[in-house]
Amino acid sequence: MKHWSCVLLDMDGTFFDFPACERRAFFRTMQEFSIEADEDMYQRYRVVNKAAWKELEEGKLTHEQLRPERFRRLMAQLGRTFPDGVTPEQVAAYNVQRIAEGDILYDGARELWQRIYRQYRVCVLTNGSDLTQYNRLKCAGLLDYTHAVVTSQRAGVGKPAAGIFRLALEELGNPDKRECVMVGDSLEADIRGAENFGIDTIWYNPTKECPKTMQVAKEVNDYSALAIALGLE
């Protein structure tokens, strides 16, 4: 068992059920602006949104550009227009507020997070905006169990870029990299990013996905296994 002192935690897909949060925010937003929406439209939005986030990670879009752009692209793809007097920017701003209320956690996530906090210094490392992610942590009752929060907006780059990991260590008081471990569900953003930076990793893989492009040092499929991997008491 390695003797880490700091844990970098991913939020969405690891502790937060982001699809559930996103779905709730999407339909509330469409209802607010009287835009007819159904399941097909939401699934199209997810595809458009995923592509936009990839462009963000590649530096092709900023957070400010991404927010209205995903709705603009969605409506264009559907061959629809926004209601009179409604702009993509208005829709995006409202949607961000609803996403910021996204406090839906997986079963057992809060208890495990609190156990980690009692034993480690905890830094949240997330590709998202400051306002949204801080508020979600607060709404979920986890902000008080977090020593630092580093977002891609604040770092100026997202995972897997080295800059966001560097800022995380600075926020934790510059511990030795060997004292740190990254826990996340994304092979590319969380695991590859941390390994390239020289940090140990634990891949949280509840769907038991089979990696095709890289070897993984440590993989767990549920919270019980994650607790054991972290040596939680």
Side-chain angles (χ1 to χ4, degrees):
M1 177 68 64
K2 292 214 175 186
H3 296 286
W4 300 300
S5 63
C6 302
V7 178
L8 310 183
L9 296 180
D10 171 57
M11 286 177 60
D12 295 314
T14 305
F15 291 92
F16 284 74
D17 186 349
F18 187 71
C21 299
E22 180 186 60
R23 180 188 180 86
R24 183 177 68 184
F26 176 82
F27 281 105
R28 285 181 177 178
T29 300
M30 295 300 102
Q31 182 178 28
E32 173 68 17
F33 293 98
S34 301
I35 299 174
E36 186 176 346
D38 56 17
E39 185 62 26
D40 177 68
M41 184 179 184
Y42 173 63
Q43 293 303 325
R44 286 172 180 260
Y45 168 79
R46 291 188 65 192
V47 174
V48 170
N49 188 43
K50 183 177 180 179
W53 273 98
K54 183 173 178 56
E55 290 183 37
L56 176 80
E57 293 171 0
E58 294 172 346
K60 298 177 181 177
L61 287 176
T62 65
H63 280 282
E64 290 69 26
Q65 293 170 332
L66 178 147
R67 292 167 181 167
E69 183 63 20
R70 55 191 173 187
F71 289 102
R72 188 178 292 112
R73 291 180 184 180
L74 174 65
M75 296 297 276
Q77 186 180 110
L78 293 170
R80 295 169 60 179
T81 58
F82 291 94
D84 289 343
V86 175
T87 67
E89 288 73 19
Q90 290 174 321
V91 174
Y94 187 85
N95 183 250
V96 167
Q97 292 175 354
R98 302 291 75 78
I99 289 177
E101 299 166 352
D103 58 352
I104 304 173
L105 298 169
Y106 294 118
D107 289 342
R110 180 178 289 103
E111 293 75 16
L112 177 60
W113 189 300
Q114 292 171 343
R115 287 177 65 192
I116 295 172
Y117 176 83
R118 287 196 292 268
Q119 196 162 319
Y120 292 96
R121 288 188 58 75
V122 174
C123 178
V124 171
L125 199 57
T126 174
N127 283 354
S129 69
D130 284 350
L131 175 64
T132 298
Q133 302 302 63
Y134 270 93
N135 197 68
R136 293 177 66 207
L137 286 165
K138 183 177 180 180
C139 289
L142 292 175
L143 193 57
D144 289 339
Y145 297 92
T146 303
H147 295 96
V149 179
V150 174
T151 68
S152 56
Q153 181 185 37
R154 184 176 169 208
V157 291
K159 298 177 290 185
I164 192 169
F165 291 93
R166 186 176 299 112
L167 181 57
L169 265 61
E170 290 176 4
E171 289 295 303
L172 289 171
N174 291 308
D176 191 296
K177 291 180 182 180
R178 291 172 294 183
E179 296 180 20
C180 303
V181 60
M182 174 77 211
V183 177
D185 71 303
S186 171
L187 273 177
E188 181 63 29
D190 300 318
I191 306 307
R192 189 188 299 276
E195 289 185 348
N196 287 345
F197 190 66
I199 294 177
D200 287 335
T201 61
I202 300 175
W203 182 34
Y204 179 62
N205 182 23
T207 61
K208 299 183 179 180
E209 174 189 349
C210 182
K212 300 177 181 178
T213 59
M214 63 182 290
Q215 292 184 331
V216 180
K218 184 66 177 179
E219 173 188 345
V220 297
N221 305 126
D222 55 45
Y223 285 158
S224 294
L226 178 54
I228 292 172
L230 290 171
L232 298 183
E233 300 173 355

